[in-house]
Amino acid sequence: MALPIIVAVEDEGDAREDLQRDLAKRYSADYQVLTSDSPERGLELLTRAQREKTEVAIVIASLRLKAMGGVDLLVRAHELHPMARRSLLIRVSDGESVAVMEQAFTLNQVDSYITKPWEPADEWLYPTIGDLLRDWVRVTEAGPRSTSIQLIGDLWQPRCYRLKDLLDRNGVPHAYYPSDSEHAREVLSSVGKDGQRLPVLVVNDGRRTQCFVDPEPAEVAPLLGADIRPRVNECDVLIAGAGPAGLAAAVYAASEGLSTLVIEAEAVGGQAGTSAMIRNYLGFPRGVSGRDLAMRASEQARVFGVQVVYLQKATGLRQAGDRYEVSLTDGTGVTAGLVIIATGVTYRRLSGPNLERLTGAGIFYGAAPSLAQAIRGLPVFIAGAGNSAGQTAVHLAQYAESVTIVAPDRSLSDHMSDYLVKQVQATPRIKLRLGSDIVDAAGGQRLQALVLKNLADGTTETVPAMALFVMIGGRPLTDWLPPGILRDPGGYILTGPDMLREGLAPDGWTLRRQPFPRESSLPGVFAVGDVRHGAVNRVASAVGDGAIAIQMAHEYLRERSLAPV
C-alpha cells in the first residue's frame, strides 16, 4: 500500500524547494512529500490520489498563489480529501494575510498556518507539521484497518449523534460509518447484527468482539476506560463539572496535595470542549481545538492523581458536620472538605437536521465578539431578540455585509430595551426577520444557508448565510443546589462581594469574616466559571476562576484547622 501523502503547493521556486527539502528530511520515511508549482497541478495530484485511494495527510497551500487563492485551493482539497489537515503558508511581512487567515479559520477552511521563512525548521516548521499529523492520525486511525471501536448508525438520529459526540468529546478513537455504507453492511453482517436497531457499537479489545445495540452511554463507558463511579467516598475537594474552570481547579488542588474528585455529566471540556477552534487562548498562536485543550487538561489532572467520574450528575448538596455531602445520579454520595461548583451553563439550542452538525463551522452559541473581524463582508444572522442579541447585532454590523436578526417575536420591544431598539433600527446594515424561526441549515463542511420559517403562514425560505450567532438564552445548571446558596434572578450563583449589602454579609452567614472571592453563601462551597454571577465567558477567565478558588480553598481549610474543637 502506498505511503500517505503530504502535498505542498507554492509558486515561489526557492520557497517550494526549501519546503520539499525540509519536509522530506523529517518525514520521507513515512510519507510521500509532493510539491507543486501551481494550484492546477496540485489539484491534479489530489485528484489522482483520490482515484487511486491513496491517503492524503496534509495539504499546504501558499496564501498568495497567482492562479488561485490558497484558501480556495484548501476548500477544493477538502472536498477531495475530507480527512486531510489543511495549512496556509503565509509570509510574515504580509500584513493583510491575518484578516484573510482569521476568516478562513472561522469558516473551518483551514486548520493551521506556517510562516515563511520558517528557519529554524525545528522551531517554526516541524512542531506545526507534527501537530497536524497527530491530528490526522487520530482521525484516520478510526479507519477499518486500525480501529478497535466502530460506530454504525445515522447521525440525524439523536441517540447515534449523542453516542458519537460522547466518543469524540472524550477523545476516544473510533470509526463512524453511515448505516447505508458498504463497510457498515459488512461489519453488521460479520457480527450478526444486520437488521438490528441502530446505532450499533462494535468493540474489539484484541481478545474478543463485543456488540452493543442502541446502548446507553453508561453501558459502554467502562469499555472505553472511563470511571462511572467514584473509587472513594470522601475527599478533600469535590468538583462538580469538568469544564475549563473545573479542570483548572482540579489541577491546582491535586498538585498542591489535596485529594480531588471531579464529577462530570457528559464529557470533559464543557461548552469550550465543543469549540472547533479556540483562537484567543494564551500560548496557542495557531489556535487549539476545544477538544484538544480539554484532553490536555484532563490528562494533566490525572497525572496529579485526580479521579474524573463520567456520566454522573451532582443531584444534591447538604452539610454533614464540618464537611459537605454531594449526592450523585446513581444514588451514592461523596463527602468532601469543600465543594467547587463548576457545572456551567446549558445554552438553549436550535433544533433542525443540520443545525447541530454545523455548530462550530459557522454556527456559534453566544456572542463570540472575537469573530467580528472574521465575518467582515459576510452575511451574518443572529437568532434571538433580547438585549444581548441587539448589542451583538450593532457590534457586528461594523464588519459584516449585513446582520439579520431572526426571532419569533412580532416586535423588538418585547424583550429589548428601548434605547437599543432605536439603535438597531438606525443601523442600516441590520435587517429584521421577526415572526420567524430558524428551522434548518445547509452546507457541506461549513454553513452556507439557513432555512427560515414564517410563523404566520408556515412558508419556508432558504437564505444565504455564512455565520449564525445563537442568542436565545442560557440556563445555569444550579437547580440541584439547596436554597441556602444564594443566586441571582437568572439562577447564577452569587459569590464573594456580590453577596454583600451595604458591606454586610448575607443573612445566614455564620462566620465573622466576609465571604472569600468565589465563595458562595455556604462557607467552603465555591462557584467558578460560567455558573457564577458576573463571570466573564472566556476560557482564560474560567481557568483563572479555578485557580482563585483553590487559593481561597487553602485559606478556608487553614482557618478550619485552627478553629476550636
Side-chain angles (χ1 to χ4, degrees), residues 293-317:
L293 186 62
M295 291 300 103
R296 294 182 190 204
S298 62
E299 180 182 355
Q300 190 175 19
R302 288 191 182 91
V303 167
F304 286 115
V306 176
Q307 185 193 8
V308 181
V309 175
Y310 295 91
L311 305 177
Q312 291 270 19
K313 290 182 180 179
T315 58
L317 172 68

Side-chain angles (χ1 to χ4, degrees), residues 390-413:
Q391 292 159 355
T392 300
V394 170
H395 175 64
L396 295 181
Q398 301 174 66
Y399 308 92
E401 172 191 83
S402 63
V403 178
T404 303
I405 295 176
V406 182
D409 310 80
R410 303 303 306 179
S411 169
L412 288 180
S413 301

Side-chain angles (χ1 to χ4, degrees), residues 272-564:
T274 66
S275 298
M277 184 63 66
I278 300 170
R279 297 279 300 146
N280 60 351
Y281 191 67
L282 185 67
F284 292 90
R286 289 169 174 78
V288 59
S289 73
R291 175 198 169 278
D292 285 347
L293 186 62
M295 291 300 103
R296 294 182 190 204
S298 62
E299 180 182 355
Q300 190 175 19
R302 288 191 182 91
V303 167
F304 286 115
V306 176
Q307 185 193 8
V308 181
V309 175
Y310 295 91
L311 305 177
Q312 291 270 19
K313 290 182 180 179
T315 58
L317 172 68
R318 70 176 186 88
Q319 286 187 281
D322 63 347
R323 298 170 69 81
Y324 288 98
E325 181 179 5
V326 176
S327 52
L328 307 180
T329 310
D330 65 0
T332 62
V334 179
T335 60
L338 59 93
V339 174
I340 296 176
I341 302 167
T343 45
V345 172
T346 178
Y347 290 114
R348 295 186 177 93
R349 304 182 76 84
L350 296 174
S351 60
N354 294 298
L355 291 168
E356 279 292 338
R357 180 176 64 82
L358 293 169
T359 295
I363 297 178
F364 308 96
Y365 281 82
S370 61
L371 300 179
Q373 293 285 349
I375 53 88
R376 185 180 295 276
L378 301 179
V380 173
F381 284 70
I382 295 174
N387 277 358
S388 296
Q391 292 159 355
T392 300
V394 170
H395 175 64
L396 295 181
Q398 301 174 66
Y399 308 92
E401 172 191 83
S402 63
V403 178
T404 303
I405 295 176
V406 182
D409 310 80
R410 303 303 306 179
S411 169
L412 288 180
S413 301
D414 291 350
H415 300 290
M416 194 179 293
S417 298
D418 182 63
Y419 82 92
L420 196 51
V421 172
K422 293 176 180 177
Q423 194 173 6
V424 166
Q425 293 172 339
T427 305
R429 291 186 182 178
I430 298 180
K431 305 175 182 179
L432 302 179
R433 292 294 296 262
L434 302 180
S436 299
D437 269 342
I438 298 172
V439 295
D440 201 2
Q445 299 299 321
R446 59 181 176 86
L447 177 68
Q448 294 176 311
L450 293 170
V451 181
L452 308 184
K453 179 179 180 180
N454 186 311
L455 298 179
D457 58 20
T459 58
T460 60
E461 179 185 1
T462 300
V463 295
M466 299 299 286
L468 168 65
F469 298 90
V470 183
M471 308 186 70
I472 54 178
R475 180 176 60 84
L477 298 171
T478 56
D479 294 345
W480 59 281
L481 296 171
I485 292 184
L486 297 180
R487 282 153 274 185
D488 68 13
Y492 295 88
I493 299 172
L494 296 169
T495 61
D498 291 328
M499 293 186 292
L500 303 182
R501 294 296 178 267
E502 299 181 353
L504 299 177
D507 293 340
W509 182 256
T510 58
L511 303 180
R512 292 183 179 180
R513 64 166 175 83
Q514 291 185 341
F516 290 134
R518 309 303 185 266
E519 190 173 25
S520 75
S521 51
L522 287 183
V525 177
F526 298 81
V528 296
D530 292 350
V531 76
R532 180 177 64 83
H533 169 83
V536 178
N537 302 126
R538 294 288 184 276
V539 174
S541 299
V543 170
D545 258 11
I548 292 170
I550 295 304
Q551 181 184 356
M552 297 300 99
H554 282 297
E555 291 294 321
Y556 171 78
L557 293 173
R558 184 185 63 81
E559 73 178 13
R560 199 180 69 179
S561 68
L562 297 175

Side-chain angles (χ1 to χ4, degrees), residues 164-219:
K164 188 176 190 310
D165 184 58
L166 180 72
L167 296 171
D168 286 338
R169 292 178 62 191
N170 285 296
V172 178
H174 65 283
Y176 164 71
Y177 300 101
S179 59
D180 59 354
S181 66
E182 181 179 352
H183 184 79
R185 289 191 290 269
E186 291 175 357
V187 172
L188 291 175
S189 176
S190 68
V191 296
K193 298 298 181 183
D194 40 354
Q196 294 282 341
R197 189 169 69 253
L198 297 175
V200 171
L201 193 70
V202 181
V203 181
N204 188 326
D205 62 4
R207 295 171 298 173
R208 59 173 180 162
T209 298
Q210 293 179 273
C211 298
F212 300 85
V213 177
D214 192 18
E216 294 293 334
E219 292 181 61

